[in-house]
Amino acid sequence: RDGCGGALMAANPTTINPDRLPPEVRAAAARGWRLFPCHSPQGGKCSCGEPECASPGKHPRTARGCHDATGDLGQLEAWANRFPGCNWGMATGPGSGVLVLDVDGEPGVAALLAYHQQGQMLPNTLSVATGRGSHVYFRWPEGVSIRNSAGRLAKGLDIRGEGGYVVIPPSIHANGEPYAYSDPNEPVMDAPEWLLEMIRQPAQPVP
């Protein structure tokens, strides 16, 4: 996602129960990822309370959003107690060392298949099933500036880079589906050179 803004809600609890931090979030912090709490879907609506929320269960709970992201377990545990049952986001970019390809719905799957048919494959790497598609994780490439983009590669293929974020397991999508790793033990691999070249260059249509 682009845009890291959010809003502070609720007061800090006086006592911290570390067990409220989901093990998936603790493991994500151990990977060196920078994390922050997001709103969550509740009864078909967003916990933000806005009836017409445009991003239910996806936008940050903190004032600076992904700019508040941290790997500090003490802070993560405090947020887990302050916002019980919240979804969680990871700030993409050099801070977390992660670049994410967002494959959104059927258009994204079709576009990715078109690239595969041209011999432009993706390596086996950590990926997350989302409510509408998948997030494919890559190591952040050294010495390269990559911003967020939507549809630059093709319709349904978005990039989450510097200044962006993705929602991570064990969060729940607005449609009720959990975010889940295809294999939590899969390592995060380097992005293929063809993908990096496409990101650096102006958009070109997929045949």
Side-chain angles (χ1 to χ4, degrees):
R1 286 186 55 79
D2 297 331
C4 290
L8 285 171
M9 296 180 63
N12 282 314
T14 56
T15 59
I16 300 297
N17 179 358
D19 292 336
R20 286 188 174 177
L21 184 67
E24 296 93 336
V25 178
R26 198 175 292 276
R31 286 179 177 265
W33 297 352
R34 296 167 56 248
L35 313 169
F36 62 97
C38 293
H39 282 281
S40 55
Q42 295 180 350
K45 298 181 180 179
C46 184
S47 60
C48 70
E50 175 59 50
E52 302 300 325
C53 178
S55 299
K58 292 185 178 181
H59 59 108
R61 276 189 172 270
T62 66
R64 298 174 63 245
C66 68
H67 300 295
D68 288 324
T70 180
D72 180 75
L73 286 177
Q75 179 61 71
L76 296 175
E77 290 169 356
W79 279 331
N81 280 259
R82 185 177 185 180
F83 308 116
C86 67
N87 279 353
W88 291 90
M90 175 189 66
T92 51
S96 292
V98 176
L99 167 71
V100 173
L101 173 65
D102 183 358
V103 183
D104 192 15
E106 292 183 5
V109 173
L112 201 57
L113 179 60
Y115 278 118
H116 286 181
Q117 290 173 341
Q118 298 176 63
Q120 294 168 310
M121 311 293 288
L122 296 180
N124 292 328
T125 187
L126 185 71
S127 64
V128 170
T130 69
R132 287 177 48 87
S134 63
H135 291 157
V136 185
Y137 287 51
F138 300 106
R139 290 192 196 108
W140 186 260
E142 295 292 333
V144 177
S145 178
I146 299 174
R147 305 295 297 180
N148 303 303
S149 64
R152 179 175 181 179
L153 291 167
K155 182 180 179 181
L157 293 182
D158 302 336
I159 292 294
R160 300 291 172 244
E162 296 177 65
Y165 69 93
V166 291
V167 178
I168 66 168
S171 301
I172 303 297
H173 193 272
N175 65 9
E177 293 292 324
Y179 288 77
Y181 296 111
S182 56
D183 178 357
N185 297 315
E186 188 82 57
V188 178
M189 305 300 289
D190 290 334
E193 189 59 31
W194 71 262
L195 178 59
L196 295 178
E197 288 298 325
M198 291 290 294
I199 294 171
R200 296 187 191 112
Q201 297 174 355
Q204 297 184 6
V206 176

